Amino acid sequence: MTNTSALRIVWIYPDLLSTYGDQGNVLILKRRAELRGIPTEIVHVHSSDSVPEQGDIYLLGGGEDRPQILAAERLRADGGLARAAARGACVFAVCAGYQIIGETYGDDEANPLPGVGILDIRSGRGQTRAVGEIVADVDPALGVGRITGFENHQGRTAIGPSARPLSTTVRGIGNDDRTEGAYQGQVLGTYLHGPALPRNPQLADLLLRWRVGQVAPLAPSWGERLHDERLAAAMR
């Protein structure tokens, strides 16, 4: 954590990258931290603002093609997110946010554009759109288990040697019909909406562990019930 007393959660560009309710990821992180007695501070960074470098967890959501391009351009010009990641901050990015933290991504005409370059992935546009429920088994090294979510994207993502797949797909498309998401150090990206962290509380706890160390277990509650319900529905 930073030298402040609170866990600083930075929500990046809600004016550009908040199309699919991904702010729920911010809210569940705050809730699961505070249930453990960890004070939090949420910082909203709009596209006209500089990205602070002293955050603990940075979150990016999904967005349409044009806002995605604008977000990538501004994040690259600003440099704050890249410097925070280099310092060891945690980054959690979803869909459009996932693509733009990589090395390259595709615009609405499939032209490659430069990303922020903090995750060794390269994304382009597939021939078909991936829409529907997705189920995937997370890399066992992360201790998360099976996750669920909703995907709605035309992206296809290749993972470079410095990153690892977040998970192996059981149902759905994800990166390429075989894997879903990627991670590199404490930078993690996924195509999962839902939002992802409320539907997968163990994934939220992974981000907390990355920043504060071991966290006390919580009694199963609505988050775990939601996870089990959506998993059962997706596998029927």
Side-chain angles (χ1 to χ4, degrees), residues 95-182:
C95 204
Y98 170 41
Q99 292 185 356
I100 65 176
I101 65 171
E103 298 294 335
T104 60
Y105 69 100
D107 68 7
D108 53 351
E109 295 181 353
N111 300 306
L113 297 174
V116 180
I118 60 174
L119 183 60
D120 189 11
I121 61 169
R122 289 154 184 81
S123 300
R125 293 178 71 85
Q127 296 299 311
T128 59
R129 192 165 189 86
V131 181
E133 291 290 311
I134 185 166
V135 175
D137 289 329
V138 174
D139 183 339
L142 299 180
V144 172
R146 181 164 284 188
I147 57 176
T148 77
F150 186 84
E151 61 180 342
N152 182 10
H153 62 94
Q154 200 162 340
R156 298 297 184 271
T157 296
I159 300 173
S162 297
R164 298 181 64 177
L166 171 63
S167 56
T168 302
T169 52
V170 176
R171 175 180 176 179
I173 302 298
N175 295 325
D176 54 9
D177 288 320
R178 299 182 301 276
T179 66
E180 201 295 306

Side-chain angles (χ1 to χ4, degrees), residues 50-119:
S50 297
V51 177
E53 298 178 32
Q54 298 303 313
D56 291 297
I57 303 176
Y58 293 76
L59 297 107
L60 300 89
E64 304 297 334
D65 291 329
R66 293 301 179 181
Q68 179 187 27
I69 294 170
L70 182 57
E73 290 174 346
R74 294 192 175 185
L75 286 172
R76 291 178 63 247
D78 176 82
L81 179 62
R83 290 190 292 271
R87 182 181 54 79
C90 174
V91 179
F92 180 74
V94 175
C95 204
Y98 170 41
Q99 292 185 356
I100 65 176
I101 65 171
E103 298 294 335
T104 60
Y105 69 100
D107 68 7
D108 53 351
E109 295 181 353
N111 300 306
L113 297 174
V116 180
I118 60 174
L119 183 60

